[in-house]
Amino acid sequence: MEVTDSEASRQVRVRFVTKLPPPLKVPASSIAVPTNLTRMGLSEIVNLLSKTPFDFLIDGELVRMSLEQFLMAKGISAEKVLEIEYIKAVAPRKQQEPCLHDDWVSAVDGSDSRFIFTGCYDSLGRIWRGDTLCTHILEGHNDAIASVSIIKSKDAESNTLHLATASKDRTLRLWKLDTRDQLDHTVKIRAFKILNGHAAGVQSVSSGPSGDMVCSGSWDGCVKLWKTNESDAEDEMVSIKKRKIGTDSPLNEESQLEGSAFSTFVGHTQCVSAVLWPEDETIYSASWDHSVRRWDAETGKDSWNMFCGKVLNCLDVGGEGSSLIAAGGSDPVLRIWDPRKPGTLAPIFQFSSHTSWISACKWHKSSWFHLVSASYDGKLMLWDLRTAWPLAVIDTHKDKVLCVDWWKGDSMISGGADSKLCISSGISIT
């Protein structure tokens, strides 16, 4: 690390502090450093003891410029000892081989650490074990799958995995598979229940916290709730006729349950592009009518209604107390609101490094600060609320990125118009 005499004359005394374990701690005494140091220069100092990449915080904000620029921007005196906290840098350390599909990968769910669940424009759902083997193909839809959801289970020891898919064919379908099957090949399964009731393509599905119900959003402007049980007094048994592909054999009949909506929420005036059911009593929805709504799951009344002036494609809830709403849509800006702040509907954060529409966003479940966004510009961006610049930009896709999720806590999984499921792993978030 070379420093000229003129640069060395502009110095500030700093003290490095950290919450990291002892092997990564540096002495607490203050030292003088040049003010022209950036994050990389600070890392060189701390890395005398460790080769771990670090980020640096001053007064709770990540440093993304030289110390001199930061001090001037924040009005901090260079005469006092500056306390700098260092944390492990958050960025993917490995790009795994992509999993190829036959068409656009439009949906992904990584909420189960054993599997990755994808939906595709070829009308098929797929279950991937580990990161390479497709063990199950979910067939039955007649048009593109727009959204998928692994249904939460109240029984942590259950060997049955329940799944939901939403399709442009106007239906949702419910599926189940036995997780004890150690398959080394791909098997095809069909839905045990078809959910009919939307008047247009279904764009989004989300599992309720208990797993007893799912909610959906559609191009018909409605949010609907559906029961996920395998049989119900109101369900009907319908016959689905199938013919084996490539044969002229007679049609075979197969019986499937058909269910109707438990309730319908009306209020949006255009496509409901995203729904989320994070708590028993609360459902969130985003729409092409420029609004985000928060619904009472029992009464169907909207208790919070925010208009942002943009078509919205996605939303997620997370951050401090799982209270912050992130949403993106028809411009390159990822916006975050805090509904707890009375009297204002202005975003509390706006991140604008993308160059095209934002298609998906997802908070990290164990962090108040971190979330990821996906865009039609072909990039994923990893964000920390403590800085306006992305921590990492991932450009493994060669076309629009359509969906993104976290998997196993340290990996980002994404699908796109390049027909690939991409996995970026080795992300350390503490």
Side-chain angles (χ1 to χ4, degrees):
M1 179 177 59
E2 295 184 0
V3 180
T4 66
D5 291 340
S6 60
E7 289 172 335
S9 65
R10 299 192 299 273
Q11 295 187 331
V12 62
R13 294 197 69 82
V14 303
R15 178 184 298 110
F16 291 102
V17 298
T18 189
K19 297 183 179 71
L20 295 173
L24 299 177
K25 287 184 182 291
V26 298
S29 56
S30 65
I31 60 173
V33 302
T35 59
N36 70 330
L37 287 185
T38 61
R39 171 190 166 224
M40 299 308 295
L42 294 171
S43 285
E44 287 188 40
I45 296 173
V46 177
N47 274 328
L48 292 174
L49 297 182
S50 170
K51 297 303 181 183
T52 304
F54 295 107
D55 264 314
F56 298 87
L57 292 151
I58 298 176
D59 291 340
E61 185 171 340
L62 281 167
V63 177
R64 283 293 183 269
M65 57 190 74
S66 72
L67 285 177
E68 185 173 29
Q69 292 170 322
F70 189 92
L71 296 178
M72 290 180 62
K74 303 300 177 182
I76 300 173
S77 171
E79 301 300 320
K80 66 175 185 178
V81 175
L82 189 63
E83 188 168 277
I84 303 177
E85 180 182 357
Y86 60 97
I87 57 177
K88 285 185 179 180
V90 176
R93 288 168 174 76
K94 182 181 179 183
Q95 300 294 336
Q96 298 176 216
E97 283 297 315
C99 301
L100 299 180
H101 292 63
D102 294 330
D103 209 330
W104 291 10
V105 182
S106 48
V108 64
D109 187 333
S111 58
D112 190 306
S113 62
R114 300 167 295 177
F115 306 97
I116 298 174
F117 183 19
T118 61
C120 185
Y121 264 57
D122 63 4
S123 79
L124 302 175
R126 290 173 174 84
I127 294 292
W128 302 83
R129 190 179 71 208
D131 50 21
T132 55
L133 177 63
C134 177
T135 58
H136 297 80
I137 291 180
L138 286 55
E139 62 176 15
H141 281 296
N142 301 315
D143 206 337
I145 292 178
S147 181
V148 298
S149 180
I150 297 175
I151 298 174
K152 299 177 178 66
S153 175
K154 289 182 288 188
D155 182 5
E157 304 300 321
S158 174
N159 294 313
T160 302
L161 188 68
H162 287 85
L163 312 163
T165 53
S167 170
K168 295 182 183 297
D169 67 8
R170 303 187 180 189
T171 72
L172 296 99
R173 292 179 186 239
L174 302 180
W175 319 74
K176 59 181 178 179
L177 57 90
D178 193 329
T179 59
R180 293 171 297 185
D181 293 339
Q182 296 298 312
L183 300 174
D184 57 4
H185 61 284
T186 302
V187 299
K188 295 181 178 181
I189 62 173
R190 299 188 70 83
F192 71 83
K193 195 172 186 179
I194 304 170
L195 305 178
N196 280 308
H198 278 297
V202 190
Q203 190 66 15
S204 183
V205 61
S206 178
S207 170
S210 66
D212 295 333
M213 302 184 75
V214 296
C215 65
S216 61
S218 166
W219 281 88
D220 62 14
C222 296
V223 175
K224 290 182 181 287
L225 275 58
W226 314 81
K227 293 181 180 179
T228 60
N229 53 334
E230 297 185 25
S231 63
D232 189 89
E234 297 179 0
D235 292 341
E236 294 184 16
M237 189 71 73
V238 295
S239 293
I240 306 297
K241 293 188 176 182
K242 303 189 302 176
R243 177 183 284 121
K244 290 184 178 179
I245 296 175
T247 72
D248 294 322
S249 59
L251 292 171
N252 296 321
E253 286 197 357
E254 180 180 281
S255 296
Q256 287 177 300
L257 285 172
E258 188 173 89
S260 55
F262 177 76
S263 59
T264 300
F265 300 167
V266 178
H268 286 296
T269 58
Q270 294 190 48
C271 170
V272 180
S273 51
V275 290
L276 185 68
W277 197 342
E279 302 169 342
D280 286 331
E281 65 277 7
T282 306
I283 293 171
Y284 294 87
S285 60
S287 170
W288 278 38
D289 65 11
H290 302 182
S291 74
V292 174
R293 293 174 184 256
R294 182 176 61 196
W295 306 85
D296 184 302
E298 183 174 350
T299 66
K301 303 294 184 182
D302 59 331
S303 59
W304 187 77
N305 190 349
M306 186 283 307
F307 286 85
C308 72
K310 298 292 179 182
V311 164
L312 293 174
N313 294 324
C314 59
L315 90 159
D316 196 27
V317 175
E320 181 182 356
S322 295
S323 299
L324 304 183
I325 299 172
S330 62
D331 68 0
V333 182
L334 178 66
R335 295 175 174 86
I336 298 174
W337 293 267
D338 187 348
R340 300 169 299 178
K341 291 186 176 295
T344 178
L345 295 178
I348 59 171
F349 296 101
Q350 297 189 77
F351 300 119
S352 54
S353 293
H354 282 294
T355 58
S356 187
W357 286 26
I358 292 175
S359 55
C361 59
K362 199 74 176 181
W363 289 94
H364 193 280
K365 295 302 182 186
S366 64
S367 171
W368 284 6
F369 304 109
H370 297 95
L371 70 164
V372 61
S373 60
S375 171
Y376 289 174
D377 64 12
K379 295 179 174 62
L380 300 175
M381 292 193 182
L382 178 57
W383 303 96
D384 187 312
L385 299 187
R386 296 168 292 188
T387 181
W389 290 271
L391 298 182
V393 178
I394 299 99
D395 57 359
T396 51
H397 287 281
K398 304 307 178 186
D399 206 331
K400 299 175 185 174
V401 188
L402 304 176
C403 55
V404 69
D405 199 4
W406 294 94
W407 186 48
K408 295 184 176 180
D410 70 346
S411 299
M412 291 186 297
I413 52 177
S414 57
D418 57 4
S419 303
K420 293 178 181 178
L421 166 66
C422 292
I423 305 173
S424 304
S425 58
I427 305 168
S428 176
I429 294 181
T430 54

